[in-house]
Amino acid sequence: RLGRHTYRKVPSLGRHSGPDYEFSVSPLEDRPLRIGVLSDWPTGAPQSLHVLHELKKQAPDIVIHLGDTYYSGTRAEQEAFLHDPIKAVLGEAIPVYLVPGNHDYYGGGGEGFYHVLDEFGVQPASYFTLRGAGVQIVAVDTGLLNNQDYSPTMMPFLPDDQIDWALHQIEVGRQAGLKTIFMSHHQFFSRAESVGVANNAFGEALTGPDRIPGPLNVYQTSEYSIGSTELAGGLSNDLPPAANTRLLNQFPPDVREYVSAFYWGHEHSTSIFDRYVNITRGRCIGNSGIAFTTDVDQYAVNGETV
């Protein structure tokens, strides 16, 4: 997607008060809850509807979708493949939370995603925190900075306002003694595909319309000022790392150590990862709607990430 994107920044409480860290934070009911999590699910294909009916059998109290409505996330696709089937199968009473993937920004720069987000009516932005008495879920929008195919794939990360908000939510959980579950569309690492490169001059230039200073600014980021050799591993930019070193830079080792589990999609497979890059429990659940044909053993140990 070229041009400007739709995005809702963390609002400010005033010049001298800082960000509104309560923005897009909702309480969890103080009772046992069953949470259904899908990713890369809305395709309109029969297998996607089958997955939804199987989810219904689990009687979820809350449903979370981790992004990618196919193919381009247009308003028509978001309604026909995401919103309408969920309402038809699961009913009106179950709250549905969303974060976007790269496909959600392809058509109209995210306008369709925000349309159904507002129709579901439980969160004001493309990121959210659900906080309970013993556990919290912090979910972020990695799709905003990973949705164009005109340059080599660049590692997704969070804009400045959102990473500040996310780190604050995680710290609130840590101070309160909560278990924190972190969710995103994009993976911190993969056993089967490249996570991208840190820098690309053309790719960075394509984000210019969003980063115009002043009232038309969509988001700001300081990440592009950090070169690949300054990130974890110190690799040159022509050597794609085994893990997303941009996200590793934004979420320091002590934060990753604290978080109880990470869930992501994007890759159309299911994987339960052993401990890696200070992430004790990494879980890929991107197999909800699109079959992934591969000539490698998905369950074999991959030497590139050991």
Side-chain angles (χ1 to χ4, degrees), residues 12-300:
S12 172
L13 291 172
R15 187 177 218 178
H16 304 293
S17 301
D20 180 3
Y21 290 120
E22 294 303 311
F23 180 66
S24 206
V25 177
S26 300
L28 286 173
E29 294 183 55
D30 189 13
R31 64 179 178 88
L33 295 171
R34 181 167 292 182
I35 299 177
V37 186
L38 301 167
S39 186
D40 300 74
W41 167 76
T43 67
Q47 61 265 30
S48 294
L49 292 176
H50 175 74
V51 168
L52 189 59
H53 282 282
E54 290 299 308
L55 176 62
K56 182 180 180 180
K57 294 177 183 178
Q58 302 300 317
D61 298 292
I62 294 170
V63 170
I64 298 173
H65 185 247
L66 298 185
D68 272 5
T69 294
Y70 292 95
Y71 181 78
S72 299
T74 63
R75 179 182 290 204
E77 289 171 331
Q78 299 280 6
E79 289 183 334
F81 300 158
L82 174 65
H83 178 273
D84 294 352
I86 284 180
K87 290 298 185 182
V89 175
L90 300 182
E92 297 289 334
I94 298 176
V96 178
Y97 291 85
L98 311 173
V99 295
N102 44 304
H103 284 262
D104 294 300
Y105 281 106
Y106 284 168
E111 183 273 335
F113 170 83
Y114 279 94
H115 172 73
V116 296
L117 181 142
D118 290 338
E119 284 194 327
F120 283 122
V122 294
Q123 63 187 102
S126 55
Y127 44 91
F128 62 86
T129 292
L130 302 177
R131 184 169 294 135
V135 66
Q136 67 174 0
I137 297 171
V138 178
V140 299
D141 174 0
T142 58
L144 180 65
L145 280 149
N146 184 258
N147 58 76
Q148 56 85 15
D149 294 319
Y150 297 92
S151 72
T153 299
M154 297 175 65
M155 290 183 284
F157 57 90
L158 304 186
D160 290 350
D161 69 294
Q162 194 183 149
I163 183 59
D164 178 55
W165 174 91
L167 290 173
H168 179 87
Q169 306 308 325
I170 292 171
E171 185 59 25
V172 168
R174 175 154 44 185
Q175 293 295 326
L178 305 181
K179 292 185 180 297
T180 293
I181 298 172
F182 186 89
M183 296 186 178
S184 59
H185 176 72
H186 289 91
Q187 65 271 62
F188 275 70
F189 52 85
S190 170
R191 71 167 315 280
E193 63 183 42
S194 170
V195 294
V197 298
N199 296 100
N200 178 270
F202 183 58
E204 292 171 29
L206 292 176
T207 68
D210 284 336
R211 295 191 289 129
I212 295 173
L216 295 179
N217 177 260
V218 177
Y219 61 83
Q220 295 176 328
T221 178
S222 55
E223 276 293 313
Y224 291 141
S225 64
I226 304 172
S228 62
T229 57
E230 300 173 78
L231 298 170
L235 298 175
S236 62
N237 200 55
D238 60 336
L239 295 174
N244 183 328
T245 51
R246 287 277 180 220
L247 287 177
L248 298 187
N249 183 60
Q250 291 191 314
F251 295 93
D254 67 303
V255 171
R256 287 177 264 133
E257 290 280 3
Y258 156 68
V259 172
S260 297
F262 290 76
Y263 284 82
W264 58 71
H266 189 60
E267 196 173 330
H268 300 156
S269 64
T270 300
S271 298
I272 297 175
F273 294 100
D274 204 346
R275 178 180 169 83
Y276 187 63
V277 294
N278 304 99
I279 291 175
T280 302
R281 299 176 186 88
R283 306 291 187 257
C284 175
I285 58 165
N287 66 324
S288 302
I290 294 181
F292 183 70
T293 303
T294 178
D295 58 0
V296 300
D297 182 354
Q298 286 291 101
Y299 299 100

